[in-house]
């Protein structure tokens, strides 16, 4: 459904996995449309979510990408929430046409060399990594930049400046505690929610893999792997749309790298962990099902099939 047809008062149905591999539905009550909320000509649909465990958890890390349908037509992905300690499950929905348009662009940003002084210390390494992994902020910072449709201008503009991408669960396993602490301090500032890996060494067990049999569906959990083997690291979110072998997810950036190649995996959700500060899905990654090829401000996108070539490290 085009954004121009989305109106306040509409009630949508959204899908995600709250536990295991079972798709669950919840309601999305459309409040209004925030123009320029993600930057110039980047809009968000504002909605109040209802159903499932959301009364306890609010919008949780791992829900990024949950598809929302109105009258059976896809309008976009649940992708933004109102910071920490929210009292209601208010979410920003990235319009599906913006997800498709952004991920169709093949230009790559120029790489910037990371400079580190010798001798290398944990502190200096962390400082360089924090600078390298900072995501471009895909949201408005000034209320005056936002045009509001469907609710009072001042109230809507203020909400727009409070919305931030839903934190992405970052699964880590096999690391020494000191390394976990260092990596957590780095990635927490880049929009991630570091969590301990489940399953066997951060990977799904045989029983969990069996639950993930069958074709990938809109609303299923999905992972992007950064490292696998003796140590595992990866992020999980939700599939928004499948078009042939193309997969769209998250509704916000991963690292905002542009064209990229990272393994795309199935994911298994153990449970939703409620938290007054920031609830999140406890999940683990499954088998590689394809390649993430685009990492843009409004979505990640990839293709189903074989994964990308990886670099062995010892």
């Amino acid at each position: 459904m085009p954004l121009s047809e989305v109106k306040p008062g509409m009630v949508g149905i959204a899908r995600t996995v709250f536990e295991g591999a079972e798709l669950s539905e919840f309601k999305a009550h459309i409040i209004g449309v925030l123009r320029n909320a993600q930057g110039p000509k980047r809009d968000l649909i504002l909605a109040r979510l209802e159903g499932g465990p959301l009364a306890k958890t609010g919008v949780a890390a791992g829900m990024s990408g949950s598809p929302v349908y109105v009258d059976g037509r896809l309008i976009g992905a649940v992708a933004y929430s109102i910071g920490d300690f929210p009292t209601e499950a208010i979410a920003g929905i990235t319009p599906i046409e913006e997800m498709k348009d952004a991920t169709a662009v093949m230009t790559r940003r120029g790489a910037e060399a990371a400079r580190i002084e010798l001798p290398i210390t944990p502190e200096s390494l962390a400082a360089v990594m924090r600078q390298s992994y900072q995501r471009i902020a895909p949201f408005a910072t000034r209320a005056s930049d936002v045009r509001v449709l469907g609710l009072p201008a001042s109230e809507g503009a203020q909400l727009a400046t409070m919305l931030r991408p839903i934190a992405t669960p970052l699964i880590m396993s096999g690391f020494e505690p000191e390394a976990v602490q260092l990596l957590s301090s780095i990635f927490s500032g880049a929009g991630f929610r570091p969590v301990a890996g489940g399953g066997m060494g951060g990977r799904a067990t045989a029983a969990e893999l069996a639950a993930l049999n069958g074709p990938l569906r809109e609303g299923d959990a999905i992972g992007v792997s950064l490292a696998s083997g003796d140590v595992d690291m990866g992020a999980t979110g939700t599939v928004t749309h499948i078009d042939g072998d193309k997969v769209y997810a998250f509704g916000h950036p991963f690292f905002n790298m542009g064209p990229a190649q990272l393994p795309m995996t199935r994911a298994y959700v153990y449970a939703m962990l409620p938290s007054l500060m920031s609830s999140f899905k406890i999940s683990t990654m499954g088998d590689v099902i394809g390649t993430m090829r685009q990492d843009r401000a409004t979505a990640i996108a990839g293709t189903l099939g074989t994964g990308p070539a990886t670099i062995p490290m010892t």
Side-chain angles (χ1 to χ4, degrees), residues 42-265:
R42 294 294 187 189
D43 308 322
L44 283 178
I45 302 163
L46 193 65
R48 180 178 290 104
L49 308 184
E50 175 193 8
L54 298 178
K56 288 185 177 180
T57 65
V59 183
M63 289 181 64
S64 299
S66 300
V68 182
Y69 307 86
V70 172
D71 296 331
R73 301 167 69 192
L74 179 63
I75 65 170
V78 173
Y80 284 68
S81 62
I82 303 180
D84 297 330
F85 305 105
T87 57
E88 283 191 273
I90 302 294
I93 299 169
T94 302
I96 184 60
E97 60 261 49
E98 293 188 12
M99 295 176 66
K100 289 184 174 182
D101 290 347
T103 53
V105 178
M106 295 305 296
T107 54
R108 183 188 297 271
R109 293 206 318 264
E112 297 181 5
R115 182 176 179 178
I116 186 168
E117 301 291 340
L118 297 176
I120 298 175
T121 65
E123 292 75 19
S124 63
L125 179 61
V128 170
M129 292 181 69
R130 286 191 190 98
Q131 184 176 5
S132 299
Y133 289 144
Q134 280 183 341
R135 297 190 296 190
I136 295 176
F139 44 77
T141 56
R142 297 181 301 179
S144 58
D145 292 335
V146 182
R147 188 160 59 93
V148 182
L149 303 176
L151 63 164
S154 59
E155 179 182 334
Q158 186 63 34
L159 274 173
T161 61
M162 296 167 63
L163 288 166
R164 294 293 181 269
I166 300 170
T168 303
L170 184 68
I171 301 167
M172 294 186 290
S173 65
F175 292 91
E176 294 292 333
E178 294 80 5
V180 171
Q181 185 176 4
L182 177 66
L183 291 169
S184 295
S185 70
I186 294 166
F187 286 102
S188 293
F192 293 90
R193 179 68 161 83
V195 296
M200 299 295 291
R203 292 281 164 171
T205 64
E208 292 156 2
L209 288 173
L212 298 175
N213 281 339
L216 190 69
R217 304 164 297 178
E218 296 178 355
D220 274 339
I222 194 168
V224 179
S225 178
L226 296 172
S228 62
D230 291 336
V231 297
D232 283 279
M233 178 185 290
T236 57
T238 304
V239 176
T240 305
H241 181 54
I242 302 172
D243 183 6
D245 67 344
K246 295 181 181 178
V247 178
Y248 301 86
F250 284 23
H252 60 62
F254 183 39
F255 286 113
N256 208 12
M257 295 181 289
Q261 291 194 12
L262 290 171
M264 192 166 61
T265 76

